[in-house]
Amino acid sequence: MGIMEISEPPEPESAQTSEELLNAFWLPEYHKKLDILWYQSVHLHANLILLRRLVAFPFDLFASGNTPCWSLIANALYESCINTIYRIVGDSDPDVITLRQLKNQVMREARDEPARKRIVDRLRTRDFDASFEKTIGSVRVLRNNQIGHMNRAVALGPAADQLKMRDIPLEELEEVAGQIHLLIEALSFDSGRPPTFPEYLGTVSYPPGD
């Protein structure tokens, strides 16, 4: 699953809006939380696209290819992706907004049992799989020991162990981002939400000369 794929969530027999599915008093909070998480996901996808292009570029063909500038930028993008993934789905603090928390709250705030069943049917194929959970575990370890915090034992330990901890393949981060987007899309009852900025979508065309 690539980060650029856009697919529609499965529709129930009778598609319904958030106003028809969720308790009215909770709708403002639902919309605000969904927008916050979507904003984070959009930036995650954009950073992954930029990082993919950056690591694939043959900088060694240029005289200035050995400058640390591009490796520093790539590292900053990588760490930003780790932090954003952790922020969206890896944080277990009960006081923060995460995609898991929103999904669970959507289930609790269904306005009645038929609405809850429609939501369950809609989300059934969008849940995170085992490979996703494995990558999130690696993201959590890296973020908590090297990026968000500097664990003493890790920082003073063998450099090889530190490098191994950072060795989460870009493909795995892209897969996680793709699954995050699919769940956000499934939780968006009122309209579709593209995965990132239009300029980075392969489906966008521009007139000649622009």
Side-chain angles (χ1 to χ4, degrees):
M1 182 188 302
I3 62 173
M4 297 307 297
E5 294 178 5
I6 305 176
S7 60
E8 292 299 322
E11 295 290 345
E13 292 181 4
S14 176
Q16 292 187 300
T17 64
S18 59
E19 285 77 9
E20 295 171 299
L21 293 170
L22 303 173
N23 289 320
F25 73 89
W26 188 65
L27 286 173
E29 182 177 333
Y30 157 77
H31 288 296
K32 191 164 187 178
K33 285 183 174 180
L34 187 60
D35 283 343
I36 288 170
L37 291 165
W38 180 45
Y39 177 84
Q40 294 290 321
S41 179
V42 164
H43 281 260
L44 170 62
H45 278 77
N47 282 343
L48 283 168
I49 291 167
L50 292 173
L51 183 56
R52 169 65 69 186
R53 294 176 181 177
L54 190 60
V55 298
F57 193 84
F59 288 106
D60 56 335
L61 297 179
F62 300 90
S64 59
N66 292 327
T67 175
C69 172
W70 298 113
S71 61
L72 289 172
I73 292 174
N75 187 66
L77 286 170
Y78 183 83
E79 291 194 355
S80 176
C81 291
I82 295 294
N83 275 326
T84 306
I85 290 171
Y86 179 86
R87 190 178 303 129
I88 297 172
V89 291
D91 200 339
S92 58
D93 188 326
D95 294 326
V96 302
I97 298 171
T98 68
L99 194 53
R100 298 176 198 269
Q101 182 242 37
L102 178 61
K103 175 191 167 187
N104 292 337
Q105 199 166 11
V106 162
M107 298 296 298
R108 291 195 302 270
E109 297 298 342
R111 63 184 305 167
D112 52 32
E113 187 57 28
R116 193 191 71 81
K117 184 178 184 303
R118 289 189 176 94
I119 293 171
V120 169
D121 290 343
R122 184 180 176 95
L123 299 180
R124 193 184 308 279
T125 61
R126 300 307 193 198
D127 211 356
F128 302 139
D129 61 21
S131 64
F132 178 96
E133 298 295 351
K134 181 176 181 294
T135 302
I136 293 303
S138 299
V139 165
R140 190 178 288 114
V141 168
L142 175 54
R143 183 265 176 194
N144 289 341
N145 287 282
Q146 290 194 43
I147 296 177
H149 308 283
M150 191 174 294
N151 179 278
R152 184 186 298 107
V154 173
L156 298 178
D161 291 347
Q162 298 176 41
L163 291 173
K164 183 178 180 181
M165 190 178 293
R166 295 183 74 91
D167 189 25
I168 304 175
L170 186 53
E171 292 80 8
E172 292 185 15
L173 300 183
E174 291 171 336
E175 178 70 19
V176 163
Q179 291 198 42
I180 285 172
H181 171 66
L182 288 178
L183 184 52
I184 287 175
E185 206 175 37
L187 289 168
S188 303
F189 303 118
D190 303 316
S191 62
R193 292 173 183 261
T196 192
F197 302 105
E199 294 83 354
Y200 295 142
L201 292 175
T203 55
V204 176
S205 300
Y206 297 95
D210 284 10

